[in-house]
Amino acid sequence: MNQNTDQKEWLVIVNPNAGNGKGKKDWETISALLKKEGLPFTVKFTEHKCHAIIFAIEGISAGFRKIITVGGDGTLNEVVNGVFTNNICPTKDISLALIPVGTGNDWGRMFGIPLDYEKAVKIIRDNKMLLHDVGLVSYYNGTEKKNRYFINIAGLGFESEVVRKTNFQKDKGHGGKLIYLYNLLTSLLSYNNTRAEIIIDGEKINADVFSINVGNGRYCGGGMRQTPNALPDDGILDVTIINGMGKFEIVSNLKILYDGTILNHPKIDGFKCKNIKVSSDSIIYTEADGESLGHTPAEFSIIPASINIVYGTKIIQ
């Protein structure tokens, strides 16, 4: 990228494959709206997995401090990881906006960022800013320890299995909320609870884990509310642990995954913390913002007030 000195200019990172090809198909409409609202920009189109990480790092090195993601939650996650692995400027110097073209729009849902492109662009024009927390998960791929930043929700266990299957099908050109729901239901037939040791801000518990969700945001999986009380700017992670529940019990309680009452169930525990560690004799797979990662042992922590985001509406409690 050429050196950029105009701090008013946005770097737009587009995932052309997002939303089953909507990123590519709708870009002409989106770019016209950006121009109409007088928002100067330079655009880059991703070509492979993790390309948005590279574009974000290169863009920051070239002088950009404002980034628009045109894509889904996975593309947003890559941009966040680019921002947090740059060595040019503090992450607080970066402003991040979203035009959602994916199928989930879970992070955008929390901030009133609509699927309507014209309305989404006007939110960017209005430029209401919030200093957002970001999560960090360390995990393993085999014997190699790795890190991944997340802006919305990370998970362990059943959720990760559903994400893994869904991402495999997305790579084959199949996506959408129904695919996720199909994988959720079919995965129930093969998934088993796993005994795990969980340390939450130094306090140790043991559980037969069905799933663990670690939330900086409230929505995942196309509208599920597994961390329904999470706030993106309180410096705290919300943790939901589903433990000791059988397959049929899960099926009969599917509605609580969506209606915000999940923490009322006697076999589901909620915590607020700054650090959580999970280990087990058997491997438990993990994901962050819908991106499949590695496995336990895993540790989740919070980086408070660490990136500026453009929002439409704000959750205050």
Side-chain angles (χ1 to χ4, degrees):
M1 291 186 185
N2 296 324
Q3 189 72 21
N4 171 65
T5 57
D6 183 2
Q7 294 297 305
K8 293 181 179 179
E9 187 173 0
W10 289 88
L11 172 63
V12 182
I13 299 176
V14 180
N15 179 356
N17 296 318
N20 291 328
K22 283 182 68 182
K24 180 179 180 180
K25 180 172 66 73
D26 295 348
W27 169 244
E28 188 175 336
T29 299
I30 294 167
S31 62
L33 289 167
L34 290 168
K35 291 171 184 174
K36 178 184 175 184
E37 295 297 343
L39 298 169
F41 64 89
T42 293
V43 63
K44 294 289 179 178
F45 295 90
T46 62
E47 297 175 4
H48 53 76
K49 196 172 182 65
C50 294
H51 208 175
I53 296 176
I54 297 168
F55 280 152
I57 294 171
E58 290 179 346
I60 292 167
S61 297
F64 288 96
R65 296 295 180 265
K66 306 196 316 184
I67 304 174
I68 298 171
T69 302
V70 179
D73 293 313
T75 311
L76 178 65
N77 177 270
E78 288 193 8
V79 170
V80 167
N81 276 270
V83 170
F84 277 79
T85 52
N86 98 85
N87 58 10
I88 301 297
C89 73
T91 59
K92 287 183 182 180
D93 289 357
I94 307 299
S95 299
L96 193 61
L98 174 70
I99 298 174
V101 300
T103 51
N105 190 32
D106 286 304
W107 182 82
R109 181 180 285 109
M110 187 168 58
F111 291 104
I113 301 172
L115 296 174
D116 181 288
Y117 297 141
E118 186 171 8
K119 292 178 181 177
V121 169
K122 284 181 178 177
I123 285 172
I124 297 172
R125 178 203 64 190
D126 292 344
N127 203 39
K128 290 192 292 184
M129 305 292 290
L130 176 144
L131 202 50
H132 199 297
D133 305 334
V134 165
L136 173 64
V137 52
S138 65
Y139 61 95
Y140 281 82
N141 264 340
T143 58
E144 184 182 5
K145 188 176 182 180
K146 294 190 171 186
N147 293 321
R148 186 84 172 195
Y149 297 91
F150 63 97
I151 196 166
N152 189 32
I153 296 180
L156 285 159
F158 178 75
E159 178 84 5
S160 299
E161 177 65 13
V162 177
V163 165
R164 186 187 65 81
K165 288 183 177 181
T166 303
N167 287 341
F168 177 79
Q169 288 164 335
K170 280 183 180 179
D171 291 342
K172 297 286 187 181
H174 307 292
K177 293 180 182 179
L178 290 179
I179 290 289
Y180 189 93
L181 184 59
Y182 172 80
N183 289 328
L184 188 151
L185 294 171
T186 56
S187 296
L188 281 169
L189 301 176
S190 58
Y191 190 80
N192 294 309
N193 293 346
T194 306
R195 191 70 177 169
E197 179 183 275
I198 305 164
I199 301 174
I200 301 174
D201 283 347
E203 297 292 323
K204 185 187 297 184
I205 62 172
N206 291 287
D208 291 318
V209 170
F210 178 79
S211 75
I212 300 174
N213 282 93
V214 182
N216 192 32
R218 295 188 174 190
Y219 299 96
C220 64
M224 288 196 297
R225 298 169 65 185
Q226 297 212 50
T227 50
N229 301 320
L231 291 169
D233 59 349
D234 63 353
I236 294 172
L237 293 168
D238 279 45
V239 177
T240 300
I241 303 174
I242 302 177
N243 61 85
M245 292 181 73
K247 295 177 175 64
F248 294 108
E249 195 172 5
I250 291 287
V251 171
S252 64
N253 283 281
L254 274 181
K255 70 177 181 64
I256 69 173
L257 298 178
Y258 291 90
D259 66 8
T261 66
I262 188 168
L263 297 177
N264 295 337
H265 194 282
K267 291 184 179 179
I268 299 176
D269 297 316
F271 303 89
K272 288 182 178 290
C273 66
K274 294 193 174 183
N275 182 276
I276 172 172
K277 300 176 183 177
V278 182
S279 59
S280 60
D281 291 335
S282 301
I283 281 176
I284 306 176
Y285 287 97
T286 186
E287 58 85 20
D289 291 342
E291 294 296 291
S292 301
L293 303 177
H295 55 78
T296 51
E299 180 175 0
F300 304 81
S301 56
I302 189 79
I303 307 168
S306 49
I307 191 169
N308 290 287
I309 64 95
V310 178
Y311 70 92
T313 56
K314 180 181 173 184
I315 294 172
I316 58 174
Q317 61 181 10

